[in-house]
Amino acid sequence: MIRRVAYKKAIIAGALGAVAWEVVIRGLIGAGVPMFDLVRTLGTMVLGPDAGVWEWWPVGLAMHALVGAIWAVFYAYFFWTLFDCPRVVQGLIFSLLPALLAGLIMVPQMDLMSEAVLSGSMPRKSFFAIGVGWGGPAAIVLGHIVFGLVLGYLYRDPVGYPAGE
């Protein structure tokens, strides 16, 4: 069976879901809530711990948007219309998969790849970013909820057909 996917719509929905995540989490960080800062972690992982905010932020956000776009293509191909429920609920259900993988695999691996963490200038995050405190797991779960809701809302009426047809 060949399934058609609206790649452009999926990529845009995934990238915007990642941007929405950043807006929510950055707002909470700005308000003083001790959340896990994924974009900073990604940006300083590439540019080093001494990079300024106007250096690490665009790099980290671009990396996060790219990952969001990749997950959205996966969603569009394998998950879209799998369940008979509203699209935003379906996006929310889907977001549990990348949340689980991020918490169990990606965040601990970023500890091993980050010069800032290895040098001790940034704390080790561990599973679900628990090393940050309660804001670590909260940021991962909340960020994925925002991503899933935006993805489900934006990826609608694509070309192709529902799963199972």
Side-chain angles (χ1 to χ4, degrees):
M1 168 181 0
I2 297 174
R3 186 174 303 185
R4 292 185 179 161
V5 172
Y7 289 103
K8 184 177 179 181
K9 283 184 179 183
I11 290 168
I12 290 169
L16 289 177
V19 169
W21 166 330
E22 171 63 4
V23 168
V24 170
I25 298 300
R26 184 71 44 215
L28 290 169
I29 291 170
V33 180
M35 303 297 270
F36 167 53
D37 193 345
L38 175 62
V39 170
R40 180 174 183 206
T41 301
L42 291 170
T44 57
M45 195 167 61
V46 172
L47 299 175
D50 298 327
V53 66
W54 294 111
E55 296 170 314
W56 62 254
W57 187 80
V59 170
L61 185 60
M63 291 173 67
H64 192 218
L66 176 63
V67 170
I70 292 168
W71 273 112
V73 170
F74 183 85
Y75 166 81
Y77 192 83
F78 293 108
F79 207 82
W80 181 72
T81 71
L82 198 58
F83 302 106
D84 187 25
C85 60
R87 300 290 180 252
V88 293
V89 174
Q90 189 163 278
L92 180 61
I93 293 168
F94 170 77
S95 72
L96 299 177
L97 174 64
L100 187 63
L101 293 174
L104 293 175
I105 298 169
M106 288 309 301
V107 174
Q109 286 300 309
M110 286 189 298
D111 281 345
L112 300 174
M113 295 185 290
S114 174
E115 180 185 333
V117 171
L118 294 174
S119 71
S121 63
M122 285 180 79
R124 186 169 299 277
K125 287 142 198 85
S126 192
F127 294 101
F128 281 93
I130 195 71
V132 176
W134 68 267
I140 290 173
V141 171
L142 177 61
H144 281 94
I145 287 171
V146 170
F147 171 78
L149 292 173
V150 171
L151 176 62
Y153 178 78
L154 293 178
Y155 191 76
R156 58 168 79 197
D157 302 323
V159 297
Y161 48 87
E165 285 188 13

